[in-house]
Amino acid sequence: MKQTVGILLAGGQSRRFGFPKAFAEFQGHPFYHYSLEALRPYCEEIVIVARPEFLEKLPEELHLTTDLEMYAGMGPLAGILSGMEAVEAERYVVLPCDMPFIEERVIGKLLDRHREDVSAVTVDGKLHPLVSIWKNSVKPTIRQALDEGNRRVMHVQAQHNGLWIEGDLLTDKPEIVFKNVNTPCELERR
């Protein structure tokens, strides 16, 4: 079993953005590239969980997967479980694909502070449950929630020893680094 595996969530529908955010570009690279590069130094392997129609747009040398069939289309929680099932590890570092300002050193600091079943980031009261670290032991709770039709990531996090880590402990510019880009104009306002 590996110690640390990255799960990059790149399967969202991106309704507000207008096209798949994973492939939107910032400074010459697709959004997913920034999350991938932030995870790379800390993870023995990285799994990208994407929609089936996105797989051909991602580099073949990456570990690509889709949602487990029984949970297909059930949102980020299904993506997290699907990544966990793709590669066994003691812990998983999860990042969404829509944070092109994420920094590699932030992941290192997040790992240093991770002590519970689940750790995630909060910035000025805004929770970022997808910038998180999950122990393998949380898998059954995720599966149970999805089997019950509950897709809420924070529902599962609340059932375990969870830790919300203030973003300003990880970077001096948390409001930028942890910005989820939901519309193209948000890149210009940076």
Side-chain angles (χ1 to χ4, degrees):
M1 180 184 294
K2 297 182 187 303
Q3 181 178 349
T4 305
V5 166
I7 298 175
L8 175 50
L9 301 174
Q13 297 198 17
S14 308
R15 287 185 190 100
R16 287 179 285 175
F17 202 81
F19 63 94
K21 288 192 275 187
F23 307 108
E25 291 207 358
F26 176 66
Q27 296 183 344
H29 296 286
F31 279 13
Y32 78 84
H33 166 85
Y34 297 97
S35 294
L36 184 65
E37 291 306 306
L39 291 169
R40 207 178 289 272
Y42 305 101
C43 300
E44 295 161 70
E45 188 167 348
I46 299 169
V47 179
I48 298 181
V49 184
R51 297 164 58 117
E53 62 269 27
F54 295 173
L55 295 180
E56 64 187 30
K57 297 176 182 179
L58 293 161
E60 291 177 15
E61 70 273 8
L62 300 174
H63 187 146
L64 307 174
T65 192
T66 58
D67 283 345
L68 297 166
E69 188 175 337
M70 66 193 85
Y71 304 121
M74 291 185 74
L77 194 57
I80 292 169
L81 180 63
S82 300
M84 289 175 153
E85 292 292 339
V87 180
E88 280 291 315
E90 292 178 24
R91 64 184 180 187
Y92 300 87
V93 183
V94 175
L95 280 181
C97 69
D98 62 354
M99 289 188 153
F101 313 123
I102 194 72
E103 298 172 345
E104 170 188 311
R105 63 191 163 109
V106 166
I107 302 305
K109 289 180 178 181
L110 184 60
L111 282 162
D112 288 345
R113 292 180 177 276
H114 174 69
R115 302 274 183 277
E116 304 294 339
D117 294 338
V118 183
S119 298
V121 173
T122 181
V123 177
D124 294 331
K126 181 175 175 13
L127 304 177
H128 294 276
L130 298 183
V131 181
S132 52
I133 302 172
W134 301 67
K135 284 187 179 176
N136 183 302
S137 60
V138 180
K139 261 199 277 190
T141 310
I142 297 173
R143 189 177 297 280
Q144 180 181 355
L146 291 169
D147 286 343
E148 294 171 355
N150 190 330
R151 303 174 180 203
R152 294 187 59 239
V153 173
M154 288 190 287
H155 168 79
V156 173
Q157 289 171 325
Q159 294 183 51
H160 285 268
N161 291 328
L163 177 65
W164 289 99
I165 299 169
E166 291 293 335
D168 60 5
L169 296 174
L170 307 173
T171 176
D172 59 356
K173 48 188 178 184
E175 64 287 338
I176 294 172
V177 170
F178 299 110
K179 175 78 175 145
N180 293 86
V181 177
N182 291 312
T183 63
C185 67
E186 289 180 274
L187 287 173
E188 298 160 15
R189 282 188 263 149
R190 179 181 171 245

PDB file of all heavy atoms in Angstrom, residues 55-79:
ATOM      1  N   LEU A  55     -11.396  11.945 -20.852  1.00  0.00           N
ATOM      2  CA  LEU A  55     -10.192  11.112 -20.775  1.00  0.00           C
ATOM      3  C   LEU A  55      -9.259  11.297 -21.959  1.00  0.00           C
ATOM      4  O   LEU A  55      -8.045  11.357 -21.792  1.00  0.00           O
ATOM      5  CB  LEU A  55     -10.572   9.633 -20.607  1.00  0.00           C
ATOM      6  CG  LEU A  55     -11.293   9.292 -19.299  1.00  0.00           C
ATOM      7  CD1 LEU A  55     -11.610   7.799 -19.260  1.00  0.00           C
ATOM      8  CD2 LEU A  55     -10.478   9.692 -18.081  1.00  0.00           C
ATOM      9  N   GLU A  56      -9.807  11.400 -23.155  1.00  0.00           N
ATOM     10  CA  GLU A  56      -8.943  11.537 -24.340  1.00  0.00           C
ATOM     11  C   GLU A  56      -8.246  12.895 -24.411  1.00  0.00           C
ATOM     12  O   GLU A  56      -7.293  13.061 -25.146  1.00  0.00           O
ATOM     13  CB  GLU A  56      -9.745  11.288 -25.613  1.00  0.00           C
ATOM     14  CG  GLU A  56     -10.835  12.309 -25.848  1.00  0.00           C
ATOM     15  CD  GLU A  56     -11.735  11.956 -27.026  1.00  0.00           C
ATOM     16  OE1 GLU A  56     -11.916  10.771 -27.315  1.00  0.00           O
ATOM     17  OE2 GLU A  56     -12.254  12.904 -27.652  1.00  0.00           O
ATOM     18  N   LYS A  57      -8.694  13.854 -23.598  1.00  0.00           N
ATOM     19  CA  LYS A  57      -8.072  15.175 -23.588  1.00  0.00           C
ATOM     20  C   LYS A  57      -6.942  15.284 -22.555  1.00  0.00           C
ATOM     21  O   LYS A  57      -6.249  16.292 -22.496  1.00  0.00           O
ATOM     22  CB  LYS A  57      -9.126  16.249 -23.280  1.00  0.00           C
ATOM     23  CG  LYS A  57     -10.212  16.350 -24.317  1.00  0.00           C
ATOM     24  CD  LYS A  57     -11.257  17.356 -23.903  1.00  0.00           C
ATOM     25  CE  LYS A  57     -12.367  17.415 -24.942  1.00  0.00           C
ATOM     26  NZ  LYS A  57     -13.399  18.368 -24.564  1.00  0.00           N
ATOM     27  N   LEU A  58      -6.791  14.254 -21.746  1.00  0.00           N
ATOM     28  CA  LEU A  58      -5.762  14.255 -20.702  1.00  0.00           C
ATOM     29  C   LEU A  58      -4.576  13.408 -21.149  1.00  0.00           C
ATOM     30  O   LEU A  58      -4.749  12.443 -21.895  1.00  0.00           O
ATOM     31  CB  LEU A  58      -6.350  13.698 -19.401  1.00  0.00           C
ATOM     32  CG  LEU A  58      -7.417  14.583 -18.758  1.00  0.00           C
ATOM     33  CD1 LEU A  58      -8.258  13.795 -17.769  1.00  0.00           C
ATOM     34  CD2 LEU A  58      -6.775  15.781 -18.066  1.00  0.00           C
ATOM     35  N   PRO A  59      -3.364  13.728 -20.696  1.00  0.00           N
ATOM     36  CA  PRO A  59      -2.178  12.968 -21.104  1.00  0.00           C
ATOM     37  C   PRO A  59      -2.287  11.486 -20.737  1.00  0.00           C
ATOM     38  O   PRO A  59      -2.634  11.144 -19.600  1.00  0.00           O
ATOM     39  CB  PRO A  59      -1.037  13.640 -20.342  1.00  0.00           C
ATOM     40  CG  PRO A  59      -1.536  15.013 -20.029  1.00  0.00           C
ATOM     41  CD  PRO A  59      -3.020  14.862 -19.842  1.00  0.00           C
ATOM     42  N   GLU A  60      -1.992  10.619 -21.688  1.00  0.00           N
ATOM     43  CA  GLU A  60      -2.119   9.171 -21.502  1.00  0.00           C
ATOM     44  C   GLU A  60      -1.230   8.629 -20.391  1.00  0.00           C
ATOM     45  O   GLU A  60      -1.557   7.615 -19.773  1.00  0.00           O
ATOM     46  CB  GLU A  60      -1.773   8.439 -22.803  1.00  0.00           C
ATOM     47  CG  GLU A  60      -2.783   8.633 -23.896  1.00  0.00           C
ATOM     48  CD  GLU A  60      -2.351   7.941 -25.181  1.00  0.00           C
ATOM     49  OE1 GLU A  60      -1.435   7.103 -25.148  1.00  0.00           O
ATOM     50  OE2 GLU A  60      -2.949   8.247 -26.226  1.00  0.00           O
ATOM     51  N   GLU A  61      -0.097   9.277 -20.134  1.00  0.00           N
ATOM     52  CA  GLU A  61       0.837   8.745 -19.134  1.00  0.00           C
ATOM     53  C   GLU A  61       0.359   8.944 -17.697  1.00  0.00           C
ATOM     54  O   GLU A  61       0.925   8.394 -16.766  1.00  0.00           O
ATOM     55  CB  GLU A  61       2.243   9.357 -19.306  1.00  0.00           C
ATOM     56  CG  GLU A  61       2.358  10.817 -18.928  1.00  0.00           C
ATOM     57  CD  GLU A  61       2.016  11.796 -20.056  1.00  0.00           C
ATOM     58  OE1 GLU A  61       1.537  11.360 -21.123  1.00  0.00           O
ATOM     59  OE2 GLU A  61       2.227  12.997 -19.858  1.00  0.00           O
ATOM     60  N   LEU A  62      -0.708   9.718 -17.505  1.00  0.00           N
ATOM     61  CA  LEU A  62      -1.256   9.934 -16.172  1.00  0.00           C
ATOM     62  C   LEU A  62      -2.187   8.782 -15.794  1.00  0.00           C
ATOM     63  O   LEU A  62      -2.715   8.093 -16.655  1.00  0.00           O
ATOM     64  CB  LEU A  62      -2.019  11.256 -16.124  1.00  0.00           C
ATOM     65  CG  LEU A  62      -1.200  12.505 -16.436  1.00  0.00           C
ATOM     66  CD1 LEU A  62      -2.097  13.730 -16.490  1.00  0.00           C
ATOM     67  CD2 LEU A  62      -0.107  12.705 -15.393  1.00  0.00           C
ATOM     68  N   HIS A  63      -2.390   8.576 -14.502  1.00  0.00           N
ATOM     69  CA  HIS A  63      -3.341   7.562 -14.040  1.00  0.00           C
ATOM     70  C   HIS A  63      -4.733   8.191 -14.092  1.00  0.00           C
ATOM     71  O   HIS A  63      -5.068   9.035 -13.267  1.00  0.00           O
ATOM     72  CB  HIS A  63      -3.001   7.116 -12.621  1.00  0.00           C
ATOM     73  CG  HIS A  63      -3.823   5.962 -12.166  1.00  0.00           C
ATOM     74  ND1 HIS A  63      -3.331   5.001 -11.339  1.00  0.00           N
ATOM     75  CD2 HIS A  63      -5.094   5.586 -12.426  1.00  0.00           C
ATOM     76  CE1 HIS A  63      -4.271   4.101 -11.098  1.00  0.00           C
ATOM     77  NE2 HIS A  63      -5.358   4.448 -11.746  1.00  0.00           N
ATOM     78  N   LEU A  64      -5.503   7.781 -15.065  1.00  0.00           N
ATOM     79  CA  LEU A  64      -6.828   8.349 -15.289  1.00  0.00           C
ATOM     80  C   LEU A  64      -7.898   7.335 -14.908  1.00  0.00           C
ATOM     81  O   LEU A  64      -7.743   6.140 -15.139  1.00  0.00           O
ATOM     82  CB  LEU A  64      -7.000   8.722 -16.767  1.00  0.00           C
ATOM     83  CG  LEU A  64      -5.915   9.612 -17.377  1.00  0.00           C
ATOM     84  CD1 LEU A  64      -6.141   9.776 -18.873  1.00  0.00           C
ATOM     85  CD2 LEU A  64      -5.865  10.954 -16.686  1.00  0.00           C
ATOM     86  N   THR A  65      -8.978   7.837 -14.342  1.00  0.00           N
ATOM     87  CA  THR A  65     -10.107   6.979 -14.033  1.00  0.00           C
ATOM     88  C   THR A  65     -11.386   7.814 -14.097  1.00  0.00           C
ATOM     89  O   THR A  65     -11.335   9.041 -14.197  1.00  0.00           O
ATOM     90  CB  THR A  65      -9.943   6.290 -12.651  1.00  0.00           C
ATOM     91  OG1 THR A  65     -10.922   5.250 -12.533  1.00  0.00           O
ATOM     92  CG2 THR A  65     -10.117   7.276 -11.502  1.00  0.00           C
ATOM     93  N   THR A  66     -12.504   7.132 -14.046  1.00  0.00           N
ATOM     94  CA  THR A  66     -13.812   7.790 -14.000  1.00  0.00           C
ATOM     95  C   THR A  66     -14.497   7.359 -12.705  1.00  0.00           C
ATOM     96  O   THR A  66     -13.990   6.496 -11.984  1.00  0.00           O
ATOM     97  CB  THR A  66     -14.681   7.372 -15.204  1.00  0.00           C
ATOM     98  OG1 THR A  66     -14.830   5.948 -15.206  1.00  0.00           O
ATOM     99  CG2 THR A  66     -14.051   7.822 -16.521  1.00  0.00           C
ATOM    100  N   ASP A  67     -15.641   7.954 -12.426  1.00  0.00           N
ATOM    101  CA  ASP A  67     -16.406   7.537 -11.254  1.00  0.00           C
ATOM    102  C   ASP A  67     -16.707   6.045 -11.332  1.00  0.00           C
ATOM    103  O   ASP A  67     -16.951   5.509 -12.416  1.00  0.00           O
ATOM    104  CB  ASP A  67     -17.751   8.273 -11.197  1.00  0.00           C
ATOM    105  CG  ASP A  67     -17.641   9.704 -10.715  1.00  0.00           C
ATOM    106  OD1 ASP A  67     -16.591  10.075 -10.150  1.00  0.00           O
ATOM    107  OD2 ASP A  67     -18.618  10.450 -10.893  1.00  0.00           O
ATOM    108  N   LEU A  68     -16.710   5.405 -10.170  1.00  0.00           N
ATOM    109  CA  LEU A  68     -17.176   4.030 -10.106  1.00  0.00           C
ATOM    110  C   LEU A  68     -18.577   3.988 -10.703  1.00  0.00           C
ATOM    111  O   LEU A  68     -19.390   4.901 -10.467  1.00  0.00           O
ATOM    112  CB  LEU A  68     -17.215   3.550  -8.651  1.00  0.00           C
ATOM    113  CG  LEU A  68     -15.862   3.497  -7.931  1.00  0.00           C
ATOM    114  CD1 LEU A  68     -16.054   3.341  -6.431  1.00  0.00           C
ATOM    115  CD2 LEU A  68     -15.019   2.361  -8.487  1.00  0.00           C
ATOM    116  N   GLU A  69     -18.865   2.963 -11.477  1.00  0.00           N
ATOM    117  CA  GLU A  69     -20.128   2.912 -12.229  1.00  0.00           C
ATOM    118  C   GLU A  69     -21.352   3.157 -11.358  1.00  0.00           C
ATOM    119  O   GLU A  69     -22.248   3.908 -11.732  1.00  0.00           O
ATOM    120  CB  GLU A  69     -20.239   1.557 -12.937  1.00  0.00           C
ATOM    121  CG  GLU A  69     -21.402   1.489 -13.886  1.00  0.00           C
ATOM    122  CD  GLU A  69     -21.438   0.190 -14.660  1.00  0.00           C
ATOM    123  OE1 GLU A  69     -20.394  -0.460 -14.814  1.00  0.00           O
ATOM    124  OE2 GLU A  69     -22.542  -0.163 -15.111  1.00  0.00           O
ATOM    125  N   MET A  70     -21.392   2.550 -10.175  1.00  0.00           N
ATOM    126  CA  MET A  70     -22.582   2.678  -9.323  1.00  0.00           C
ATOM    127  C   MET A  70     -22.763   4.083  -8.756  1.00  0.00           C
ATOM    128  O   MET A  70     -23.836   4.430  -8.277  1.00  0.00           O
ATOM    129  CB  MET A  70     -22.551   1.652  -8.197  1.00  0.00           C
ATOM    130  CG  MET A  70     -21.433   1.854  -7.200  1.00  0.00           C
ATOM    131  SD  MET A  70     -21.201   0.442  -6.104  1.00  0.00           S
ATOM    132  CE  MET A  70     -20.149  -0.558  -7.128  1.00  0.00           C
ATOM    133  N   TYR A  71     -21.700   4.923  -8.829  1.00  0.00           N
ATOM    134  CA  TYR A  71     -21.776   6.276  -8.283  1.00  0.00           C
ATOM    135  C   TYR A  71     -21.539   7.340  -9.351  1.00  0.00           C
ATOM    136  O   TYR A  71     -21.322   8.507  -9.017  1.00  0.00           O
ATOM    137  CB  TYR A  71     -20.764   6.451  -7.152  1.00  0.00           C
ATOM    138  CG  TYR A  71     -20.926   5.430  -6.042  1.00  0.00           C
ATOM    139  CD1 TYR A  71     -19.887   4.576  -5.695  1.00  0.00           C
ATOM    140  CD2 TYR A  71     -22.124   5.313  -5.340  1.00  0.00           C
ATOM    141  CE1 TYR A  71     -20.031   3.644  -4.680  1.00  0.00           C
ATOM    142  CE2 TYR A  71     -22.277   4.373  -4.328  1.00  0.00           C
ATOM    143  CZ  TYR A  71     -21.233   3.539  -4.002  1.00  0.00           C
ATOM    144  OH  TYR A  71     -21.386   2.618  -3.004  1.00  0.00           O
ATOM    145  N   ALA A  72     -21.589   6.954 -10.595  1.00  0.00           N
ATOM    146  CA  ALA A  72     -21.303   7.891 -11.689  1.00  0.00           C
ATOM    147  C   ALA A  72     -22.222   9.110 -11.617  1.00  0.00           C
ATOM    148  O   ALA A  72     -23.432   8.983 -11.423  1.00  0.00           O
ATOM    149  CB  ALA A  72     -21.465   7.194 -13.035  1.00  0.00           C
ATOM    150  N   GLY A  73     -21.615  10.279 -11.726  1.00  0.00           N
ATOM    151  CA  GLY A  73     -22.373  11.518 -11.736  1.00  0.00           C
ATOM    152  C   GLY A  73     -22.827  12.006 -10.377  1.00  0.00           C
ATOM    153  O   GLY A  73     -23.616  12.939 -10.286  1.00  0.00           O
ATOM    154  N   MET A  74     -22.318  11.414  -9.309  1.00  0.00           N
ATOM    155  CA  MET A  74     -22.758  11.804  -7.966  1.00  0.00           C
ATOM    156  C   MET A  74     -21.837  12.842  -7.325  1.00  0.00           C
ATOM    157  O   MET A  74     -21.784  12.968  -6.105  1.00  0.00           O
ATOM    158  CB  MET A  74     -22.925  10.573  -7.072  1.00  0.00           C
ATOM    159  CG  MET A  74     -24.093   9.701  -7.503  1.00  0.00           C
ATOM    160  SD  MET A  74     -24.404   8.310  -6.383  1.00  0.00           S
ATOM    161  CE  MET A  74     -25.143   9.149  -4.969  1.00  0.00           C
ATOM    162  N   GLY A  75     -21.105  13.573  -8.146  1.00  0.00           N
ATOM    163  CA  GLY A  75     -20.346  14.710  -7.648  1.00  0.00           C
ATOM    164  C   GLY A  75     -18.981  14.383  -7.075  1.00  0.00           C
ATOM    165  O   GLY A  75     -18.475  13.272  -7.211  1.00  0.00           O
ATOM    166  N   PRO A  76     -18.381  15.384  -6.409  1.00  0.00           N
ATOM    167  CA  PRO A  76     -17.020  15.245  -5.893  1.00  0.00           C
ATOM    168  C   PRO A  76     -16.830  14.092  -4.911  1.00  0.00           C
ATOM    169  O   PRO A  76     -15.774  13.468  -4.889  1.00  0.00           O
ATOM    170  CB  PRO A  76     -16.750  16.580  -5.208  1.00  0.00           C
ATOM    171  CG  PRO A  76     -17.701  17.536  -5.819  1.00  0.00           C
ATOM    172  CD  PRO A  76     -18.909  16.739  -6.202  1.00  0.00           C
ATOM    173  N   LEU A  77     -17.836  13.810  -4.094  1.00  0.00           N
ATOM    174  CA  LEU A  77     -17.703  12.715  -3.135  1.00  0.00           C
ATOM    175  C   LEU A  77     -17.497  11.390  -3.870  1.00  0.00           C
ATOM    176  O   LEU A  77     -16.654  10.578  -3.481  1.00  0.00           O
ATOM    177  CB  LEU A  77     -18.924  12.653  -2.216  1.00  0.00           C
ATOM    178  CG  LEU A  77     -18.793  11.790  -0.967  1.00  0.00           C
ATOM    179  CD1 LEU A  77     -17.612  12.232  -0.103  1.00  0.00           C
ATOM    180  CD2 LEU A  77     -20.080  11.827  -0.162  1.00  0.00           C
ATOM    181  N   ALA A  78     -18.228  11.194  -4.957  1.00  0.00           N
ATOM    182  CA  ALA A  78     -18.043   9.992  -5.778  1.00  0.00           C
ATOM    183  C   ALA A  78     -16.657   9.991  -6.407  1.00  0.00           C
ATOM    184  O   ALA A  78     -16.015   8.937  -6.516  1.00  0.00           O
ATOM    185  CB  ALA A  78     -19.119   9.920  -6.853  1.00  0.00           C
ATOM    186  N   GLY A  79     -16.177  11.158  -6.802  1.00  0.00           N
ATOM    187  CA  GLY A  79     -14.836  11.253  -7.368  1.00  0.00           C
ATOM    188  C   GLY A  79     -13.763  10.890  -6.367  1.00  0.00           C
ATOM    189  O   GLY A  79     -12.787  10.206  -6.691  1.00  0.00           O
TER     190      GLY A  79
END
